[in-house]
Amino acid sequence: MEFTSFKTLVREEVERRAGKKYRVRLNDVMKNNGVVLSGLTVMQDDSNISPTIYLNDYYNAYENGRTTLGMVINDVMDVYNRNKVNRKLDMRYFLNYEHVKEQIVLKLINTEKNKELLSDIPHVEFLDLSIVFQVLISDENIGGASVLIHNAHAKLWGVDSKELYKCALKNTPKLLKYEIKGMNDVICEIMETDRASAPCCGEIPMYVLSNSRRIDGAACMIYPQLIEDFATAVGGNLYIIPSSVHELLLLPACAVDNGEELINIIKEVNETQLLTEEILSDSLYVYDCKEKAIKIF
């Protein structure tokens, strides 16, 4: 069965099960690095928000014989029922820049891999990356969410990329506070064990940098003074490894003999361990203490 037919069958059956008071729609969503996913939304007549349920993985499982169409539809309905929001979110405040400017934050994406997206959104170039902007939305019923700022928003508000960057650079460290942890501590968290029981990652001092949400945490690289202060604390130049869009690895440059080996590791991990939309860059970055600047190695 082709993906188009699969999506149509899922939508029709979900619509039948949901009932007349619900609207079921299919829509393509452009994610990071040019990845386009096919999403399904189920929305009640008295609501204007709904979780997007992506069908791509369901289709792959169906095609490989790991699931049936009925099981897919059952799971989609279950996911919706567990995450549905029975209310409307008032988005009128979004029309006024004064209402949203204190919630504007930044994130980092790869410039080359996101050319199409960048043509439609305000951004500021940074090395081989681009700084883009989003509005954080906090609601007790839906938790944390974000809305990517497009050129149409900036035009409506009468602001440009420079203004958004200035605003976001001020807000992001406050709204999404950074966290730096030793690699061994992170391994302990993942394995839910103590340091004595966890495997050691070695003698090389490596640290994980992200934000409190662990989402789009690579943006911490440009928090004012953060990298400079950390480099000073460890006593010299610092390698910055783009582990993903969500986190960075920090490594004192004096602890590694050959930076080229790190580049090979970055590329291998990106190719074999990460989803395409999670990749930040194949580059290795270095903070130069003398120049007080981050550069591509």
Side-chain angles (χ1 to χ4, degrees), residues 198-214:
C200 181
C201 68
E203 297 181 359
I204 296 177
M206 186 176 293
Y207 305 86
V208 180
L209 170 61
S210 187
N211 60 35
S212 54
R213 289 190 178 186
R214 305 286 179 88

Side-chain angles (χ1 to χ4, degrees), residues 247-293:
E247 65 184 19
L248 304 166
L249 301 181
L250 306 180
L251 179 64
C254 61
V256 179
D257 294 331
N258 188 356
E260 293 293 338
E261 293 181 0
L262 293 178
I263 296 175
N264 293 332
I265 294 173
I266 292 169
K267 291 179 179 179
E268 181 179 355
V269 170
N270 286 346
E271 292 175 359
T272 63
Q273 303 298 318
L274 295 183
L275 296 173
T276 301
E277 57 267 34
E278 293 179 335
I279 296 172
L280 180 62
S281 175
D282 287 337
S283 299
L284 171 65
Y285 306 101
V286 59
Y287 177 78
D288 188 308
C289 289
K290 290 184 179 179
E291 297 185 17
K292 293 188 175 182

Side-chain angles (χ1 to χ4, degrees), residues 65-285:
R66 299 196 305 273
T67 189
T68 65
L69 188 61
M71 292 169 64
V72 169
I73 294 166
N74 288 340
D75 198 65
V76 168
M77 291 299 300
D78 182 60
V79 170
Y80 169 70
N81 286 322
R82 284 188 282 108
N83 294 278
K84 65 181 178 181
V85 181
N86 299 316
R87 62 186 294 274
K88 283 190 174 182
L89 186 65
D90 186 0
M91 296 296 289
R92 288 176 297 180
Y93 83 96
F94 201 78
L95 301 176
N96 190 322
Y97 182 65
E98 292 301 315
H99 293 166
V100 301
K101 69 178 184 179
E102 293 186 358
Q103 297 299 119
I104 293 174
V105 297
L106 52 80
K107 69 176 183 177
L108 284 174
I109 63 175
N110 187 280
T111 300
E112 182 66 26
K113 297 178 184 294
N114 288 278
K115 285 184 177 181
E116 182 178 352
L117 177 63
L118 289 169
S119 68
D120 190 43
I121 60 175
H123 60 279
V124 174
E125 292 187 0
F126 174 73
L127 303 175
D128 61 338
L129 308 174
S130 288
I131 301 165
V132 300
F133 312 99
Q134 52 191 358
V135 177
L136 292 184
I137 299 175
S138 298
D139 184 276
E140 61 181 10
N141 293 286
I142 65 173
S146 61
V147 176
L148 185 65
I149 296 176
H150 286 254
N151 290 338
H153 299 130
K155 183 177 180 180
L156 174 68
W157 298 332
V159 298
D160 58 15
S161 297
K162 291 182 179 180
E163 168 63 23
L164 291 171
Y165 176 70
K166 178 182 177 181
C167 186
L169 195 61
K170 176 183 176 182
N171 295 336
T172 313
K174 294 189 298 184
L175 298 175
L176 300 173
K177 296 183 183 299
Y178 77 87
E179 294 181 352
I180 298 179
K181 296 184 178 181
M183 179 61 77
N184 285 329
D185 292 327
V186 173
I187 292 174
C188 290
E189 285 185 12
I190 295 173
M191 298 185 65
E192 297 182 348
T193 187
D194 55 33
R195 287 183 64 96
S197 303
C200 181
C201 68
E203 297 181 359
I204 296 177
M206 186 176 293
Y207 305 86
V208 180
L209 170 61
S210 187
N211 60 35
S212 54
R213 289 190 178 186
R214 305 286 179 88
I215 298 174
D216 297 325
C220 292
M221 190 196 307
I222 53 179
Y223 283 14
Q225 292 294 125
L226 195 166
I227 296 297
E228 180 180 345
D229 289 348
F230 189 76
T232 300
V234 299
N237 293 350
L238 195 67
Y239 284 131
I240 304 170
I241 301 170
S243 178
S244 73
V245 294
H246 303 304
E247 65 184 19
L248 304 166
L249 301 181
L250 306 180
L251 179 64
C254 61
V256 179
D257 294 331
N258 188 356
E260 293 293 338
E261 293 181 0
L262 293 178
I263 296 175
N264 293 332
I265 294 173
I266 292 169
K267 291 179 179 179
E268 181 179 355
V269 170
N270 286 346
E271 292 175 359
T272 63
Q273 303 298 318
L274 295 183
L275 296 173
T276 301
E277 57 267 34
E278 293 179 335
I279 296 172
L280 180 62
S281 175
D282 287 337
S283 299
L284 171 65
Y285 306 101

